[in-house]
mmCIF file of all heavy atoms in Angstrom:
data_model
loop_
_atom_site.group_PDB
_atom_site.id
_atom_site.type_symbol
_atom_site.label_atom_id
_atom_site.label_comp_id
_atom_site.label_asym_id
_atom_site.label_seq_id
_atom_site.Cartn_x
_atom_site.Cartn_y
_atom_site.Cartn_z
ATOM 1 N N ASP A 62 -57.125 -14.575 267.486
ATOM 2 C CA ASP A 62 -56.674 -15.277 266.324
ATOM 3 C C ASP A 62 -57.211 -14.675 265.047
ATOM 4 O O ASP A 62 -56.626 -14.762 263.970
ATOM 5 C CB ASP A 62 -57.009 -16.814 266.371
ATOM 6 C CG ASP A 62 -58.491 -17.065 266.497
ATOM 7 O OD1 ASP A 62 -59.220 -16.087 266.968
ATOM 8 O OD2 ASP A 62 -58.936 -18.159 266.211
ATOM 9 N N ARG A 63 -58.457 -14.080 265.171
ATOM 10 C CA ARG A 63 -59.011 -13.362 263.995
ATOM 11 C C ARG A 63 -58.331 -12.075 263.750
ATOM 12 O O ARG A 63 -58.063 -11.602 262.608
ATOM 13 C CB ARG A 63 -60.534 -13.206 264.183
ATOM 14 C CG ARG A 63 -61.379 -14.215 263.540
ATOM 15 C CD ARG A 63 -61.319 -15.557 264.322
ATOM 16 N NE ARG A 63 -62.423 -16.427 263.855
ATOM 17 C CZ ARG A 63 -62.614 -17.704 264.240
ATOM 18 N NH1 ARG A 63 -61.811 -18.155 265.176
ATOM 19 N NH2 ARG A 63 -63.595 -18.417 263.796
ATOM 20 N N PHE A 64 -58.169 -11.266 264.833
ATOM 21 C CA PHE A 64 -57.515 -9.943 264.731
ATOM 22 C C PHE A 64 -56.128 -9.957 264.154
ATOM 23 O O PHE A 64 -55.721 -9.047 263.384
ATOM 24 C CB PHE A 64 -57.573 -9.211 266.068
ATOM 25 C CG PHE A 64 -58.900 -8.701 266.495
ATOM 26 C CD1 PHE A 64 -59.614 -9.306 267.512
ATOM 27 C CD2 PHE A 64 -59.487 -7.606 265.834
ATOM 28 C CE1 PHE A 64 -60.900 -8.854 267.889
ATOM 29 C CE2 PHE A 64 -60.684 -7.119 266.208
ATOM 30 C CZ PHE A 64 -61.403 -7.711 267.271
ATOM 31 N N THR A 65 -55.419 -10.998 264.421
ATOM 32 C CA THR A 65 -54.014 -11.040 263.921
ATOM 33 C C THR A 65 -53.975 -11.466 262.443
ATOM 34 O O THR A 65 -52.898 -11.399 261.855
ATOM 35 C CB THR A 65 -53.192 -12.132 264.722
ATOM 36 O OG1 THR A 65 -53.848 -13.363 264.625
ATOM 37 C CG2 THR A 65 -53.046 -11.653 266.198
ATOM 38 N N CYS A 66 -55.113 -11.817 261.894
ATOM 39 C CA CYS A 66 -55.136 -12.146 260.471
ATOM 40 C C CYS A 66 -56.161 -11.331 259.753
ATOM 41 O O CYS A 66 -57.037 -11.834 258.995
ATOM 42 C CB CYS A 66 -55.464 -13.688 260.341
ATOM 43 S SG CYS A 66 -54.228 -14.754 260.945
ATOM 44 N N GLY A 67 -56.096 -9.991 259.993
ATOM 45 C CA GLY A 67 -56.920 -9.112 259.166
ATOM 46 C C GLY A 67 -58.214 -8.729 259.724
ATOM 47 O O GLY A 67 -59.030 -8.052 259.168
ATOM 48 N N GLY A 68 -58.550 -9.173 260.988
ATOM 49 C CA GLY A 68 -59.787 -8.781 261.526
ATOM 50 C C GLY A 68 -60.888 -9.910 261.516
ATOM 51 O O GLY A 68 -60.680 -10.824 260.777
ATOM 52 N N PRO A 69 -61.926 -9.749 262.368
ATOM 53 C CA PRO A 69 -62.939 -10.757 262.415
ATOM 54 C C PRO A 69 -63.814 -10.845 261.168
ATOM 55 O O PRO A 69 -63.819 -9.902 260.351
ATOM 56 C CB PRO A 69 -63.740 -10.389 263.659
ATOM 57 C CG PRO A 69 -63.560 -8.906 263.673
ATOM 58 C CD PRO A 69 -62.179 -8.640 263.230
ATOM 59 N N ASN A 70 -64.467 -11.970 260.994
ATOM 60 C CA ASN A 70 -65.483 -12.186 259.941
ATOM 61 C C ASN A 70 -64.866 -12.166 258.543
ATOM 62 O O ASN A 70 -65.585 -11.930 257.595
ATOM 63 C CB ASN A 70 -66.561 -11.111 260.093
ATOM 64 C CG ASN A 70 -67.232 -11.143 261.414
ATOM 65 O OD1 ASN A 70 -67.546 -12.150 261.945
ATOM 66 N ND2 ASN A 70 -67.524 -9.948 261.949
ATOM 67 N N ASN A 71 -63.569 -12.382 258.411
ATOM 68 C CA ASN A 71 -62.990 -12.530 257.057
ATOM 69 C C ASN A 71 -62.704 -13.960 256.704
ATOM 70 O O ASN A 71 -62.132 -14.221 255.631
ATOM 71 C CB ASN A 71 -61.761 -11.650 256.887
ATOM 72 C CG ASN A 71 -60.590 -12.128 257.633
ATOM 73 O OD1 ASN A 71 -60.738 -13.058 258.528
ATOM 74 N ND2 ASN A 71 -59.431 -11.577 257.484
ATOM 75 N N GLY A 72 -63.007 -14.902 257.603
ATOM 76 C CA GLY A 72 -62.815 -16.365 257.269
ATOM 77 C C GLY A 72 -61.441 -16.848 257.511
ATOM 78 O O GLY A 72 -61.234 -17.993 257.379
ATOM 79 N N VAL A 73 -60.566 -15.996 258.049
ATOM 80 C CA VAL A 73 -59.162 -16.394 258.328
ATOM 81 C C VAL A 73 -58.808 -16.159 259.792
ATOM 82 O O VAL A 73 -59.168 -15.155 260.352
ATOM 83 C CB VAL A 73 -58.191 -15.573 257.352
ATOM 84 C CG1 VAL A 73 -56.745 -16.030 257.627
ATOM 85 C CG2 VAL A 73 -58.617 -15.814 255.919
ATOM 86 N N ARG A 74 -58.071 -17.093 260.356
ATOM 87 C CA ARG A 74 -57.657 -16.936 261.709
ATOM 88 C C ARG A 74 -56.315 -17.535 261.861
ATOM 89 O O ARG A 74 -55.771 -18.270 261.053
ATOM 90 C CB ARG A 74 -58.580 -17.563 262.776
ATOM 91 C CG ARG A 74 -58.719 -19.058 262.721
ATOM 92 C CD ARG A 74 -59.645 -19.532 261.687
ATOM 93 N NE ARG A 74 -60.234 -20.855 262.006
ATOM 94 C CZ ARG A 74 -60.934 -21.526 261.174
ATOM 95 N NH1 ARG A 74 -61.207 -20.981 259.949
ATOM 96 N NH2 ARG A 74 -61.533 -22.608 261.415
ATOM 97 N N GLU A 75 -55.636 -17.193 262.995
ATOM 98 C CA GLU A 75 -54.245 -17.655 263.224
ATOM 99 C C GLU A 75 -54.239 -19.000 264.004
ATOM 100 O O GLU A 75 -54.953 -19.145 265.015
ATOM 101 C CB GLU A 75 -53.443 -16.668 264.060
ATOM 102 C CG GLU A 75 -51.999 -17.103 264.303
ATOM 103 C CD GLU A 75 -51.169 -16.084 265.095
ATOM 104 O OE1 GLU A 75 -51.597 -14.902 265.114
ATOM 105 O OE2 GLU A 75 -50.199 -16.477 265.731
ATOM 106 N N ILE A 76 -53.587 -19.950 263.449
ATOM 107 C CA ILE A 76 -53.370 -21.207 264.091
ATOM 108 C C ILE A 76 -51.885 -21.632 263.918
ATOM 109 O O ILE A 76 -51.401 -21.630 262.781
ATOM 110 C CB ILE A 76 -54.269 -22.314 263.554
ATOM 111 C CG1 ILE A 76 -55.797 -21.972 263.580
ATOM 112 C CG2 ILE A 76 -54.049 -23.741 264.213
ATOM 113 C CD1 ILE A 76 -56.708 -22.994 263.003
ATOM 114 N N ALA A 77 -51.245 -21.887 265.012
ATOM 115 C CA ALA A 77 -49.875 -22.298 265.010
ATOM 116 C C ALA A 77 -48.956 -21.264 264.186
ATOM 117 O O ALA A 77 -48.141 -21.641 263.361
ATOM 118 C CB ALA A 77 -49.676 -23.658 264.415
ATOM 119 N N ASP A 78 -49.245 -19.960 264.473
ATOM 120 C CA ASP A 78 -48.462 -18.844 263.893
ATOM 121 C C ASP A 78 -48.689 -18.739 262.417
ATOM 122 O O ASP A 78 -47.899 -18.103 261.755
ATOM 123 C CB ASP A 78 -46.943 -19.030 264.193
ATOM 124 C CG ASP A 78 -46.668 -19.059 265.704
ATOM 125 O OD1 ASP A 78 -47.399 -18.258 266.438
ATOM 126 O OD2 ASP A 78 -45.747 -19.748 266.084
ATOM 127 N N GLU A 79 -49.752 -19.272 261.862
ATOM 128 C CA GLU A 79 -50.058 -19.117 260.420
ATOM 129 C C GLU A 79 -51.514 -18.677 260.278
ATOM 130 O O GLU A 79 -52.396 -19.052 261.079
ATOM 131 C CB GLU A 79 -49.864 -20.406 259.645
ATOM 132 C CG GLU A 79 -48.433 -20.911 259.576
ATOM 133 C CD GLU A 79 -48.318 -22.092 258.600
ATOM 134 O OE1 GLU A 79 -48.218 -21.914 257.373
ATOM 135 O OE2 GLU A 79 -48.389 -23.215 259.123
ATOM 136 N N CYS A 80 -51.720 -17.810 259.316
ATOM 137 C CA CYS A 80 -53.080 -17.397 258.993
ATOM 138 C C CYS A 80 -53.756 -18.444 258.036
ATOM 139 O O CYS A 80 -53.343 -18.498 256.828
ATOM 140 C CB CYS A 80 -53.126 -16.011 258.360
ATOM 141 S SG CYS A 80 -52.725 -14.692 259.541
ATOM 142 N N VAL A 81 -54.689 -19.163 258.517
ATOM 143 C CA VAL A 81 -55.381 -20.213 257.677
ATOM 144 C C VAL A 81 -56.840 -19.909 257.621
ATOM 145 O O VAL A 81 -57.384 -19.219 258.490
ATOM 146 C CB VAL A 81 -55.038 -21.565 258.216
ATOM 147 C CG1 VAL A 81 -53.540 -21.919 258.193
ATOM 148 C CG2 VAL A 81 -55.608 -21.776 259.605
ATOM 149 N N GLY A 82 -57.503 -20.555 256.673
ATOM 150 C CA GLY A 82 -58.924 -20.370 256.524
ATOM 151 C C GLY A 82 -59.333 -20.115 255.101
ATOM 152 O O GLY A 82 -58.577 -20.381 254.177
ATOM 153 N N VAL A 83 -60.578 -19.588 254.930
ATOM 154 C CA VAL A 83 -61.106 -19.472 253.613
ATOM 155 C C VAL A 83 -61.473 -17.997 253.357
ATOM 156 O O VAL A 83 -62.064 -17.320 254.187
ATOM 157 C CB VAL A 83 -62.407 -20.233 253.485
ATOM 158 C CG1 VAL A 83 -62.954 -20.241 252.020
ATOM 159 C CG2 VAL A 83 -62.132 -21.728 253.857
ATOM 160 N N THR A 84 -61.024 -17.394 252.223
ATOM 161 C CA THR A 84 -61.262 -16.043 251.872
ATOM 162 C C THR A 84 -61.749 -15.979 250.457
ATOM 163 O O THR A 84 -61.472 -16.753 249.575
ATOM 164 C CB THR A 84 -60.028 -15.164 252.042
ATOM 165 O OG1 THR A 84 -60.235 -13.851 251.629
ATOM 166 C CG2 THR A 84 -58.879 -15.762 251.167
ATOM 167 N N GLU A 85 -62.601 -14.908 250.291
ATOM 168 C CA GLU A 85 -63.096 -14.558 248.900
ATOM 169 C C GLU A 85 -62.176 -13.597 248.201
ATOM 170 O O GLU A 85 -62.491 -13.108 247.169
ATOM 171 C CB GLU A 85 -64.525 -14.029 248.987
ATOM 172 C CG GLU A 85 -65.554 -15.061 249.533
ATOM 173 C CD GLU A 85 -66.971 -14.665 249.328
ATOM 174 O OE1 GLU A 85 -67.236 -13.672 248.548
ATOM 175 O OE2 GLU A 85 -67.898 -15.343 249.930
ATOM 176 N N GLY A 86 -61.007 -13.355 248.734
ATOM 177 C CA GLY A 86 -60.043 -12.509 248.186
ATOM 178 C C GLY A 86 -59.604 -11.376 249.002
ATOM 179 O O GLY A 86 -58.662 -10.694 248.663
ATOM 180 N N ASP A 87 -60.330 -11.044 250.035
ATOM 181 C CA ASP A 87 -60.049 -9.866 250.818
ATOM 182 C C ASP A 87 -58.949 -10.071 251.838
ATOM 183 O O ASP A 87 -58.427 -9.039 252.303
ATOM 184 C CB ASP A 87 -61.348 -9.292 251.528
ATOM 185 C CG ASP A 87 -61.975 -10.351 252.282
ATOM 186 O OD1 ASP A 87 -61.683 -11.502 252.179
ATOM 187 O OD2 ASP A 87 -62.978 -10.064 253.162
#
Side-chain angles (χ1 to χ4, degrees):
D62 59 339
R63 265 74 169 177
F64 283 109
T65 57
C66 295
N70 302 319
N71 70 350
V73 181
R74 67 276 205 188
E75 182 180 338
I76 302 178
D78 299 323
E79 292 188 86
C80 290
V81 300
V83 186
T84 177
E85 296 193 13
D87 50 350

